[in-house]
Amino acid sequence: MTSPSNEEELGFIQRLSELNEGHARAKRKMPSLSINNPMEVLRQRLLLEVARKQMREANQRQAVANRLFLQNVGKRGFWAKTASSRYDN
């Protein structure tokens, strides 16, 4: 690695002293960046993902309940047991 030349060091020191004295402002080469908008986008995506997961789980629970109900529809054994208990004297 090469060390910076004396001229470069002096120029750097001079710029620092000017900045400290308030004579010059540092110019930004790039615009300032805000993270508010990207964070909001990520927050919305996370909320949507959580909502989708909850809906998926609710749909799976309903599917299991429907499957259990449909397994017993039209079976004489199931209805016979409940019907006989209703009409027993």
Side-chain angles (χ1 to χ4, degrees), residues 4-5 7 10-11 14 23 25 27 29 32 35-36 45 49 53 55-56 59 61-62 65 75 80 84 86 88:
S5 68
E7 291 178 11
L10 289 175
Q14 185 178 6
H23 295 296
R25 279 186 79 172
K27 293 184 180 179
K29 293 181 182 178
S32 66
I35 64 164
N36 290 337
R45 285 185 184 179
E49 185 178 334
K53 183 178 179 184
M55 287 296 293
R56 205 175 311 118
N59 287 342
R61 284 192 300 272
Q62 186 63 48
K75 293 188 178 179
S84 66
R86 287 185 196 158
D88 284 345

Side-chain angles (χ1 to χ4, degrees), residues 2-17:
T2 61
S3 62
S5 68
N6 286 339
E7 291 178 11
E8 291 175 350
E9 288 179 11
L10 289 175
F12 179 72
I13 293 171
Q14 185 178 6
R15 284 190 302 257
L16 279 179
S17 65

Side-chain angles (χ1 to χ4, degrees), residues 67-83:
R67 195 173 304 113
L68 290 173
F69 174 76
L70 290 174
Q71 284 175 349
N72 296 316
V73 170
K75 293 188 178 179
R76 294 181 191 192
F78 174 77
W79 293 109
K81 290 178 189 174
T82 58

